[in-house]
Amino acid sequence: MAQTSAPVKAGEPVTLNFQAADIEAVARTFASITGKNVVVDPRVKGTLTLVTDKPVSQAAALAQFVATLRLQGYTLVESGGLYKVVPEAEAKLQTSAVTVDSAQGPGLPAGNQIATQIFKLSHESANNLVPVLRPLISPNNTINANPGTNTLVITDYADNLRRLGRIIAAMDVANATDVEVIPLKHAIAADLAPLVLKLLGSSTAAAPAGQADTSFKTTLLAEPRSNALIVRASNGAQLALVHSLVAKLDQPDAGGSGGAAGNIHVVYLKNADATKLAATLRAAISNDTRSSTAPAATGGGTAGAAAAAASVASATGGQIQADAATNALIITAPEPQFRQLRAVIDKLDGRRAQVLVESLIAEVNMDRAAEFGVQWQGALGGAASTNVGLLGTNFSLGKTTPTIIDLATNAASGTAVPAGGLNLGVAHKTNGVYVLGFLANFLESSGSGNVLSTPNLLTLDNEEAKIVIGENVPFVTGSYTSNNTSGNSVNPFTTVERKDVGLTLKVRPQINENGTVKLVIYQETSAVKAGTEKDSNGPTTTKRTIESTVLVDDNNIVVLGGLLQDTYSGNQEKVPGLGDVPLFGHLFKSEARGRKKTNLMVFLRPVVVRDAQATDRLSMDRYDLMRAGLNDAQPKPSSVLNINDSPQLPVLPLAQPVLPPAPASGAKTQR
């Protein structure tokens, strides 16, 4: 018990002398000393010994009491002015002391009390520090990391939190140097940056999602405009190594700045065409030189003459030449001008996007015709009559219906051919000969056609692509016959010209900056007209053509064309007056009607393919589709025929995906 017989006054020293005293009794004693209520958890059992040799302050006595509880697995927590004696494992759930401040934690309670502190990290990753700090925390307390805000939440005794704060402060330091710009005098920044990175052996892998990039690998970027290197090293040694390598590599050419060898450079292109790019650069240099040297040339003197000569040399294309065999540019220019040209070349020599143009061409035509006519002929008079009269109708309106007189004439020679459709006729015997006296013809015809094609084209941006699906048909252009008078032989010959007849599609896509695709389209559908294949002057062809320029978003569909032709024809031949009589008038007239309708529609969908992975996916998709179609077309097994298989496409091995390199920390990804 405490060595006092009266209530302890505030601030009065006390002497402690507890020998194997019950914890709950000791807690009540400290409640009277501190003047605060003390609650003991029912799970807290046992005794403790707490002795002081001389009077101590009340705060020191309370600290010794908490330290003794800690040794036995218990602790004292304060919540709302109430002290609780609880097991150590429960303290992290009942403590109310939470501080959010610096690593030293000035707002923490006494050393043997449990509290929660939030550490905000500025440089190091919170996930990286968790395995380092966990062994330093008592087993009953916790440490957690929040990657989103890069903070640590630790619950432990206050004295251990102060120790952990000093450890975190020592580890939470910047591991990388500041960003430095290294200007180059002779070398090209775009060429030197990848070389130095390879020599350093550094990686530019990005941090996992949801975590800050605290690895601070050495990053080196080229800045073409000022011909400089931008570097951020992981430490001072790496930065010194970068400076040393750049100083050794940034040297003038072997031929010297004024020598011929030092002014000749070879640039190998990766994507652009050397011949076209050389012409573009020569034109750009010519215009720039003329504008910059015009005032000097007009001033006269040696300087003006030299500037004019330089302008003429640039205009004649002497500075830039293309080597088509190696797809390279040979540039003769001093270092400053070459650096400018190289920056332009790097921008123009990028990988060009491709466009897959999926098209669907549908042509539907309908042709209907109907004919109806009645003809009759009759003789007036007998066989002995001097004059014989003829009375009847004779219509030739129908396309296939012969006249009644033609049929009667051909019947006499045995070559009579009736018309198509339903024919009703009556023949009258005159002088022992049957003569056709009545003919009625009914005919209705209809025809339709449906042409469907789905050609697909893959082409580079701003490059024309063409596909032709059809036949090469000969057309007669002339004939000649030569008579050989000596041998009486004839040598005839005919000249022909062959033309493509079928489907033709030409497309030139152009990808705009906002993602839309401009399409310059030429589409032609032609066919040989049925029945004219063997005409002496050559066959007759039908032709449908669409030529247009449209703008469509990537992966969207645009339609061209529509109703091309819708014609109606109606013809009638009749006997005046009699042909107008209702019902009875049909015996004295012939009528033909026809209607023809043609529709042509072209549906286009451009799909922009920007990288190799998209091209591979597209190619494999079409390859699998074709292979599946060939497998479905396999012939059925037969025991009679010994050929039971057709050619098939082989199975392609799975290609390993080529992942693009991750962008360096702080670098922007180019589109």
Side-chain angles (χ1 to χ4, degrees):
M1 57 177 292
Q3 300 298 321
T4 179
S5 58
V8 181
K9 298 180 181 180
E12 182 180 356
V14 295
T15 302
L16 303 178
N17 185 14
F18 295 99
Q19 298 290 339
D22 186 71
I23 294 178
E24 185 174 357
V26 177
R28 288 196 300 268
T29 302
F30 273 95
S32 63
I33 294 175
T34 59
K36 293 184 179 181
N37 295 327
V38 178
V39 178
V40 180
D41 191 285
R43 291 169 291 183
V44 177
K45 303 293 184 180
T47 61
L48 58 80
T49 300
L50 182 58
V51 179
T52 59
D53 296 336
K54 58 183 179 179
V56 294
S57 65
Q58 296 179 6
L62 182 62
Q64 291 187 22
F65 174 57
V66 176
T68 305
L69 289 175
R70 180 178 178 181
L71 295 176
Q72 296 189 6
Y74 307 119
T75 187
L76 181 70
V77 296
E78 183 180 2
S79 177
L82 178 67
Y83 284 136
K84 301 178 183 178
V85 180
V86 296
E88 185 182 279
E90 295 293 325
K92 60 180 177 290
L93 302 178
Q94 300 191 29
T95 181
S96 61
V98 178
T99 59
V100 183
D101 45 28
S102 64
Q104 297 300 324
L108 291 174
N112 288 311
Q113 287 186 326
I114 290 181
T116 300
Q117 185 169 359
I118 300 175
F119 296 92
K120 295 182 178 180
L121 305 180
S122 302
H123 304 285
E124 187 57 70
S125 171
N127 284 338
N128 292 343
L129 287 182
V130 169
V132 177
L133 301 178
R134 189 179 298 277
L136 305 178
I137 299 173
S138 59
N140 291 326
N141 294 316
T142 60
I143 176 174
N144 295 289
N146 182 13
T149 57
N150 198 35
T151 56
L152 290 172
V153 181
I154 304 176
T155 300
D156 202 358
Y157 289 98
D159 55 354
N160 197 32
L161 287 177
R162 293 185 178 90
R163 181 171 66 103
L164 294 176
R166 291 190 294 270
I167 296 174
I168 293 173
M171 301 181 67
D172 186 26
V173 295
N175 293 332
T177 62
D178 293 335
V179 176
E180 289 197 17
V181 178
I182 305 176
L184 302 180
K185 298 180 180 179
H186 307 285
I188 304 300
D191 294 339
L192 195 58
L195 178 61
V196 174
L197 272 179
K198 288 182 180 179
L199 294 175
L200 293 175
S202 60
S203 173
T204 57
Q211 297 185 19
D213 183 11
T214 59
S215 56
F216 291 113
K217 303 295 183 181
T218 299
T219 304
L220 191 65
L221 301 175
E223 206 287 299
R225 188 183 63 83
S226 59
N227 193 39
L229 296 176
I230 303 175
V231 59
R232 188 191 64 174
S234 57
N235 50 60
Q238 283 278 60
L239 182 61
L241 180 58
V242 171
H243 278 283
S244 176
L245 290 174
V246 171
K248 293 178 181 179
L249 296 174
D250 186 23
Q251 299 293 332
D253 294 333
S257 59
N263 288 339
I264 299 179
H265 309 271
V266 178
V267 180
Y268 293 94
L269 303 180
K270 299 177 181 178
N271 301 285
D273 182 78
T275 304
K276 296 180 180 179
L277 187 56
T280 302
L281 294 176
R282 283 197 294 266
I285 291 178
S286 175
N287 294 334
D288 181 67
T289 305
R290 287 174 181 175
S291 61
S292 61
T293 58
T298 56
T302 306
S311 176
V312 173
S314 299
T316 56
Q319 287 189 339
I320 303 174
Q321 298 295 334
D323 181 25
T326 59
N327 195 37
L329 295 176
I330 303 173
I331 301 176
T332 304
E335 285 295 331
Q337 188 178 18
F338 174 69
R339 285 196 293 268
Q340 295 178 354
L341 290 174
R342 185 58 190 270
V344 176
I345 292 172
D346 291 339
K347 292 182 179 179
L348 297 179
D349 190 29
R351 179 187 176 93
R352 296 172 61 184
Q354 301 182 92
V355 180
L356 172 68
V357 181
E358 298 178 335
S359 61
L360 188 150
I361 303 172
E363 179 180 354
V364 180
N365 55 68
M366 180 187 66
D367 191 357
R368 298 185 61 188
E371 299 178 7
F372 172 74
V374 177
Q375 305 177 58
W376 55 271
Q377 294 286 339
L380 301 177
S385 301
T386 304
N387 297 320
V388 178
L390 296 175
L391 180 64
T393 59
N394 188 49
F395 301 129
S396 59
L397 184 60
K399 299 180 180 179
T400 60
T401 305
T403 65
I404 192 172
I405 296 178
D406 291 338
L407 285 176
T409 304
N410 294 336
S413 60
T415 60
V417 179
L422 177 63
N423 294 284
L424 299 176
V426 176
H428 177 69
K429 188 175 183 180
T430 304
N431 294 330
V433 178
Y434 285 99
V435 179
L436 184 62
F438 174 81
L439 176 64
N441 176 256
F442 303 89
L443 173 65
E444 183 174 351
S445 63
S446 62
S448 61
N450 185 4
V451 180
L452 179 65
S453 301
T454 57
N456 295 340
L457 292 172
L458 180 65
T459 180
L460 281 175
D461 179 26
N462 211 24
E463 293 290 342
E464 182 180 283
K466 177 182 179 181
I467 184 172
V468 178
I469 305 171
E471 299 176 346
N472 194 257
V473 181
F475 292 85
V476 177
T477 58
S479 61
Y480 179 76
T481 302
S482 62
N483 296 327
N484 190 341
T485 56
S486 61
N488 296 326
S489 62
V490 179
N491 298 321
F493 66 89
T494 303
T495 59
V496 297
E497 178 185 5
R498 293 188 174 271
K499 296 182 179 180
D500 293 330
V501 176
L503 174 67
T504 302
L505 177 64
K506 291 191 290 186
V507 179
R508 181 190 294 273
Q510 179 180 334
I511 304 173
N512 298 326
E513 186 65 24
N514 58 356
T516 59
V517 181
K518 178 183 176 182
L519 298 176
V520 180
I521 306 162
Y522 175 81
Q523 190 275 328
E524 176 184 312
T525 302
S526 58
V528 176
K529 191 174 182 180
T532 64
E533 295 87 349
K534 297 182 180 181
D535 287 358
S536 59
N537 293 327
T540 302
T541 60
T542 60
K543 187 176 181 180
R544 315 273 191 271
T545 300
I546 296 177
E547 188 171 359
S548 178
T549 301
V550 297
L551 193 67
V552 59
D553 290 337
D554 179 19
N555 213 24
N556 283 4
I557 298 177
V558 64
V559 61
L560 307 176
L563 178 63
L564 298 185
Q565 187 180 27
D566 191 355
T567 59
Y568 170 81
S569 61
N571 298 313
Q572 188 182 75
E573 293 182 357
K574 64 181 179 179
V575 176
L578 295 177
D580 297 329
V581 178
L583 298 179
F584 182 75
H586 289 290
L587 299 177
F588 299 95
K589 67 181 177 181
S590 178
E591 192 171 3
R593 296 180 181 180
R595 185 172 184 178
K596 187 175 182 180
K597 190 175 183 179
T598 302
N599 280 288
L600 174 64
M601 289 191 179
V602 180
F603 299 88
L604 299 174
R605 183 178 73 169
V607 180
V608 178
V609 182
R610 296 189 180 276
D611 51 25
Q613 287 74 26
T615 304
D616 292 341
R617 288 194 300 268
L618 178 65
S619 301
M620 291 303 300
D621 178 71
R622 297 298 189 270
Y623 189 90
D624 293 340
L625 180 64
M626 181 62 68
R627 190 172 185 276
L630 293 178
N631 290 337
D632 295 339
Q634 289 293 313
K636 295 181 179 179
S638 173
S639 58
V640 179
L641 303 176
N642 59 357
I643 299 177
N644 291 317
D645 55 353
S646 65
Q648 299 185 62
L649 292 174
V651 179
L652 293 181
L654 294 177
Q656 296 295 332
V658 180
L659 299 178
S665 175
K668 294 183 179 179
T669 304
Q670 295 182 354
R671 187 174 68 87

